[in-house]
Amino acid sequence: MSMPSSLWTTDVFGEQAADARCRVGQGLRNMQANAQAAQEQAASRTTRVYGTSRYENQYERLQDELKQVPGARAIKPFGFSYELMLIGKGLIYPFRYSNTKSDVRSARIPSQSRLVRELFTFAPAPKHTQDPFDLDLDFGPAVPIAEPRGALATVPEGTQLVLVPFACNASELLEAYWGIAALGMNRQLEWATDPEPLHLPQEVTSYTLRPISIPSQVTAHTGFAEGIEPTLTLSSRAASDQALHVPVQTEAEPIEDQSSEDDATH
């Protein structure tokens, strides 16, 4: 579904704005499809498999789509398992903000990890900060800024963090947005742009689960007479047994069981 690009997306992504917008929505659809397939294949009573797969796919499936945009570049933050995509001046960061439909303007960043604090060095400064001389107001602890490390330290000057908050659960992908926001107190987002809804297509274009390989089954049943004839090993009796007229023994004597049912209780 084609939608006109807003001013901020054109400023950040340039002529790739419309393409990037469509591909982000497609990447999220693929994320949901793969996570649901993993949950179904696991046949688990909990949704932990879905959650783990969803987290991994929210980065990898978006990367699959966005790496096809001309000029796109993968950025791997220091100590992070996944890569984020840089398109034009936009560094795209997806995260789930809710498992139900809710007001995205009240969304919070899931954590204040070192990665999050590094990423928000590319975001606007928050407007609502605590006045150190006003002891009656308490907006919560301030979020310290962390110096970007690894590939984040190599991004061009003027890069802006583009947030992609989405809502989903094991049953469905509910909604998704993108926009630019500052990180305020208590992980609250302060939107510098209107969070724009993203189109979420129904078609799935990237499917990563491998089909289960079932070994070929033997369909022909052989009869007893068609089995492999066993090999018999014959050996002669020792000369000493023959001289002493020891009777021929064809089977080993049974060994008396030295254990009893009472042994388990002692």
Side-chain angles (χ1 to χ4, degrees):
M1 184 173 69
S2 178
M3 296 181 64
S5 299
S6 58
L7 292 178
W8 76 264
T9 58
T10 302
D11 178 64
V12 172
F13 298 111
E15 62 183 12
Q16 309 298 340
D19 190 21
R21 179 192 183 100
C22 292
R23 291 187 180 279
V24 169
Q26 185 65 68
L28 292 176
R29 172 57 63 194
N30 296 342
M31 167 206 74
Q32 178 72 3
N34 278 268
Q36 287 180 314
Q39 178 67 32
E40 181 179 358
Q41 192 173 50
S44 175
R45 294 182 179 180
T46 70
T47 58
R48 292 178 183 174
V49 175
Y50 166 83
T52 301
S53 179
R54 188 269 306 165
Y55 181 77
E56 175 181 299
N57 278 279
Q58 73 187 36
Y59 301 109
E60 295 189 348
R61 301 293 73 77
L62 260 68
Q63 183 178 7
D64 288 345
E65 290 293 322
L66 293 173
K67 67 183 181 182
Q68 303 178 55
V69 177
R73 173 185 166 192
I75 301 294
K76 192 174 188 304
F78 180 84
F80 193 55
S81 300
Y82 308 99
E83 294 177 320
L84 304 179
M85 296 304 294
L86 177 65
I87 299 175
K89 296 186 296 182
L91 181 62
I92 298 175
Y93 177 60
F95 65 94
R96 188 176 78 161
Y97 77 95
S98 178
N99 58 7
T100 61
K101 282 190 175 183
S102 60
D103 185 4
V104 70
R105 291 186 176 276
S106 62
R108 296 174 183 266
I109 284 290
S111 71
Q112 291 182 5
S113 65
R114 173 65 190 259
L115 170 64
V116 167
R117 290 185 282 122
E118 290 182 28
L119 290 175
F120 272 88
T121 61
F122 305 102
K127 295 179 180 178
H128 299 103
T129 57
Q130 184 174 353
D131 185 347
F133 299 101
D134 190 346
L135 302 179
D136 293 332
L137 297 178
D138 184 9
F139 294 99
V143 179
I145 297 299
E147 189 70 22
R149 300 169 298 170
L152 283 179
T154 68
V155 300
E157 185 176 355
T159 294
Q160 299 186 57
L161 180 65
V162 178
L163 302 176
V164 181
F166 58 90
C168 68
N169 53 52
S171 299
E172 57 184 328
L173 177 61
L174 298 168
E175 55 191 2
Y177 301 84
W178 72 352
I180 296 175
L183 183 58
M185 298 297 177
N186 297 320
R187 298 182 284 111
Q188 186 74 44
L189 295 176
E190 299 176 5
W191 291 97
T193 67
D194 288 330
E196 299 181 9
L198 295 172
H199 173 62
L200 302 173
Q202 293 301 314
E203 182 183 4
V204 178
T205 61
S206 175
Y207 193 79
T208 60
L209 288 181
R210 304 293 186 263
I212 299 176
S213 177
I214 302 177
S216 300
Q217 303 296 316
V218 177
T219 56
H221 298 281
T222 58
F224 175 79
E226 299 175 4
I228 300 175
E229 184 176 353
T231 302
L232 299 179
T233 302
L234 302 179
S235 61
S236 59
R237 299 176 65 206
S240 59
D241 289 350
Q242 297 181 33
L244 297 174
H245 303 286
V246 176
V248 177
Q249 183 176 355
T250 58
E251 295 183 2
E253 295 183 358
I255 300 175
E256 183 180 356
D257 189 2
Q258 302 297 318
S259 64
S260 69
E261 294 181 0
D262 292 337
D263 289 342
T265 61
H266 296 309

